[in-house]
Amino acid sequence: MATEELTPKKSRFHIIFGGNRGIWIILAFLFMYSVLSVYSGSVQLPGTNTTGHLLKHVGGLLLGVVCIYLIHKTPCKFFRFSSFLLYILSIVLLIVTWLFAPEVNGAKRWLYIGPITLQTSDIAKVALLMFLAHVLSKKETSINDIGSFVKSILLPIFLTCFLIMPSNLSTAILVFVEAMVLLAFSNIKKTYFWGLLATAIVGGGLFVALILYTNIDIWRFPTWRARVESWIEGNPNKDDQVQVNNARMAVASGGVIGRGPGNGHAKVKLANVHCDYIFANIVEEVGLVGGMFLMWLYIMLFYRAITIVKKINKLSKSPGDLEPKYKFRQYLVLGLTSMMVLQALSNMAVSTDLMPVTGQTMPFVSYGTSSLIFMSVAMGIILSVSREVENDTALTDKKAEPQVAEAVAATADGNPETATADESAEAIDDDDNSEVSGREVLEMIDDNEINIEENERK
């Protein structure tokens, strides 16, 4: 009976879905953007049956919803215990991709397993962040020397980025930035964090100089050189810059409210408008208002992650002393949410020519089943954490209710112990009060006058 009384009552929404309601609403809006923009942009895909491309994409979205729903019902401890195995699997898949995957457009990114096309870097992003969240939750306070920091933190990060980099430099850079965001929120020694950041800035500058001023012809150096040069010079005759210029024209022509759904011209002029330049297509058709609202959705997604982290802090037994399982949840939510938001912002930046071409898709909006599925896995994990946090918070509040009720009842019934405590508190307040009221001053004057009269009589 006691257990039943402490079990918090749940609404129908939390019984069916669970987790943060705001995240579910954000997902619904992102899926709406995805359906409309992919249907509009699919006119330039191979074949002319845009309805067929739409149905395929909607099928991918439904599969993503199924993944989100099933994973968000999975206990968080499963992700904690399986993080190391998933990380090892991702490293193996990256090596297999590097050695045996077919080359497409000068890059080895996809493994073909029967009818399934798998981009292994998508697995690696999620796996690395899960692994780092697990390591930081257990060892962050015990990493007191540079050797343990390199072994526990740096080695997994650099190994993953190195295996991704030859075929997908932009993804490798994003993975590194996402890992740095996670380290920034952690309790790792800040000297290690700032040292790593300074090393990354210097190393990144040297790497850019290596790309621009040498004639290295391995991996995708020529492609990287062309993209950086076209972005710096703004040469309209280069292929990448033609794409960027068309994207900028689409964004500018959208105005405030846009040309209207389906009426944009970017889908005809831009290759891969349904993936890499989908933000340009969206802004052209729904205007600056629609584009800003889409950006706001991703910002709100990160805000919701911060809300979940704050709720986890309230579950600690003592302030600033979280158990490893709660730290793991915090780092997991922060890492995976930053992955989605940073990737979305990079897609927007490319469409507006704020950074070189990266080929990054927009999470839950762009066309592409492989990216959609693994982003759905990440979202399911975030909602799983949110669901358990909501349950733990409700259970804690339920346990606190009887104690509050007893205290109120004791006060109302005139409990002697409570009254004594109240009187003691009032006495302390009186003793501490250094100010004297005007009425007390008058009483003191009257007492002095009486004493003077009595002395005179004597």
Side-chain angles (χ1 to χ4, degrees):
M1 293 293 294
T3 305
E4 294 179 356
E5 291 177 356
L6 290 177
T7 303
K9 294 181 180 180
K10 299 180 182 179
S11 64
R12 181 175 296 179
F13 174 86
H14 283 94
I15 293 174
I16 298 174
F17 294 99
N20 193 294
R21 183 177 300 183
I23 293 180
W24 285 106
I25 295 174
I26 291 171
L27 274 176
F29 276 108
L30 291 177
F31 284 169
M32 288 171 57
Y33 268 100
S34 181
V35 171
L36 293 175
S37 57
V38 169
Y39 181 63
S40 173
S42 61
V43 68
Q44 51 87 40
L45 289 174
T48 57
N49 186 4
T50 55
T51 303
H53 293 303
L54 175 65
L55 292 177
K56 181 180 178 181
H57 183 62
V58 170
L61 290 176
L62 293 176
L63 185 59
V65 172
V66 172
C67 289
I68 293 173
Y69 184 81
L70 294 178
I71 292 174
H72 105 284
K73 291 289 186 180
T74 305
C76 291
K77 61 182 180 181
F78 172 79
F79 308 124
R80 189 179 175 192
F81 296 146
S82 62
S83 60
F84 178 73
L85 293 177
L86 183 60
Y87 174 71
I88 295 298
L89 175 62
S90 69
I91 294 298
V92 171
L93 289 175
L94 287 175
I95 294 174
V96 171
T97 304
W98 196 2
L99 296 177
F100 304 109
E103 190 171 299
V104 180
N105 296 328
K108 294 183 177 182
R109 300 180 184 177
W110 296 273
L111 283 180
Y112 297 92
I113 307 173
I116 301 175
T117 303
L118 184 66
Q119 188 166 349
T120 51
S121 61
D122 291 332
I123 304 176
K125 288 187 292 188
V126 178
L128 176 65
L129 294 173
M130 289 177 62
F131 178 73
L132 288 178
H134 178 58
V135 171
L136 289 171
S137 65
K138 289 184 63 178
K139 300 181 179 180
E140 63 181 0
T141 56
S142 61
I143 299 177
N144 298 318
D145 58 273
I146 192 65
S148 59
F149 177 71
V150 171
K151 180 181 177 181
S152 302
I153 305 297
L154 285 192
L155 183 60
I157 295 175
F158 280 106
L159 179 59
T160 305
C161 293
F162 177 75
L163 292 174
I164 296 175
M165 184 181 68
S167 294
N168 201 338
L169 178 61
S170 60
T171 298
I173 294 174
L174 275 179
V175 169
F176 180 81
V177 174
E178 291 154 10
M180 290 296 293
V181 171
L182 194 55
L183 291 178
F185 279 100
S186 71
N187 293 323
I188 203 78
K189 279 188 175 181
K190 295 307 175 185
T191 53
Y192 294 158
F193 171 77
W194 292 114
L196 178 59
L197 181 61
T199 304
I201 293 173
V202 174
L206 293 175
F207 187 73
V208 172
L210 192 67
I211 291 174
L212 291 176
Y213 302 111
T214 62
N215 294 320
I216 298 176
D217 200 17
I218 62 172
W219 298 344
R220 302 192 73 205
F221 268 86
T223 302
W224 302 337
R225 186 180 304 114
R227 289 182 174 180
V228 175
E229 287 178 349
S230 65
W231 180 68
I232 294 174
E233 298 171 1
N235 189 343
N237 297 322
K238 293 188 177 182
D239 293 338
D240 289 330
Q241 196 61 32
V242 169
Q243 287 279 89
V244 172
N245 289 337
N246 288 333
R248 291 173 61 187
M249 290 174 61
V251 171
S253 64
V256 178
I257 60 175
R259 294 176 177 270
N263 295 326
H265 303 306
K267 54 181 173 287
V268 180
K269 298 179 180 179
L270 281 167
N272 299 323
V273 69
H274 58 299
C275 298
D276 302 346
Y277 294 97
I278 197 165
F279 184 70
N281 186 52
I282 290 172
V283 175
E284 184 183 23
E285 296 189 352
V286 298
L288 182 63
V289 174
M292 293 296 292
F293 182 72
L294 178 60
M295 185 183 296
W296 180 80
L297 289 175
Y298 286 105
I299 294 173
M300 285 303 298
L301 180 61
F302 192 77
Y303 170 77
R304 289 288 175 174
I306 298 298
T307 302
I308 296 170
V309 169
K310 289 182 178 179
K311 288 184 178 181
I312 294 175
N313 281 330
K314 295 179 181 179
L315 298 175
S316 62
K317 296 180 180 179
S318 60
D321 186 20
L322 276 176
E323 298 177 32
K325 65 178 182 180
Y326 292 136
K327 286 184 179 180
F328 174 73
R329 295 177 186 180
Q330 285 186 329
Y331 295 150
L332 198 59
V333 170
L334 287 171
L336 295 178
T337 307
S338 65
M339 175 188 71
M340 298 176 190
V341 175
L342 287 173
Q343 185 167 324
L345 293 178
S346 67
N347 182 281
M348 298 175 187
V350 169
S351 294
T352 51
D353 200 20
L354 294 177
M355 63 184 295
V357 177
T358 61
Q360 295 296 319
T361 59
M362 184 171 289
F364 304 110
V365 178
S366 294
Y367 185 90
T369 305
S370 177
S371 175
L372 176 62
I373 294 302
F374 287 104
M375 285 294 171
S376 298
V377 170
M379 183 59 75
I381 295 173
I382 294 171
L383 286 169
S384 173
V385 174
S386 175
R387 180 180 59 83
E388 292 196 358
V389 170
E390 295 287 344
N391 292 341
D392 292 346
T393 302
L395 187 59
T396 302
D397 294 341
K398 196 72 176 180
K399 287 180 179 179
E401 286 178 5
Q403 298 176 359
V404 175
E406 289 177 4
V408 173
T411 304
D413 294 340
N415 191 313
E417 296 179 359
T418 307
T420 302
D422 293 340
E423 291 172 0
S424 300
E426 291 176 0
I428 293 173
D429 290 339
D430 291 339
D431 291 339
D432 292 339
N433 190 0
S434 59
E435 296 181 359
V436 181
S437 65
R439 186 175 182 179
E440 291 175 340
V441 172
L442 293 175
E443 289 177 356
M444 293 171 63
I445 293 173
D446 292 338
D447 291 338
N448 289 332
E449 290 177 352
I450 292 172
N451 290 333
I452 292 172
E453 291 177 358
E454 289 179 354
N455 290 330
E456 291 177 347
R457 288 175 185 177
K458 291 180 180 180

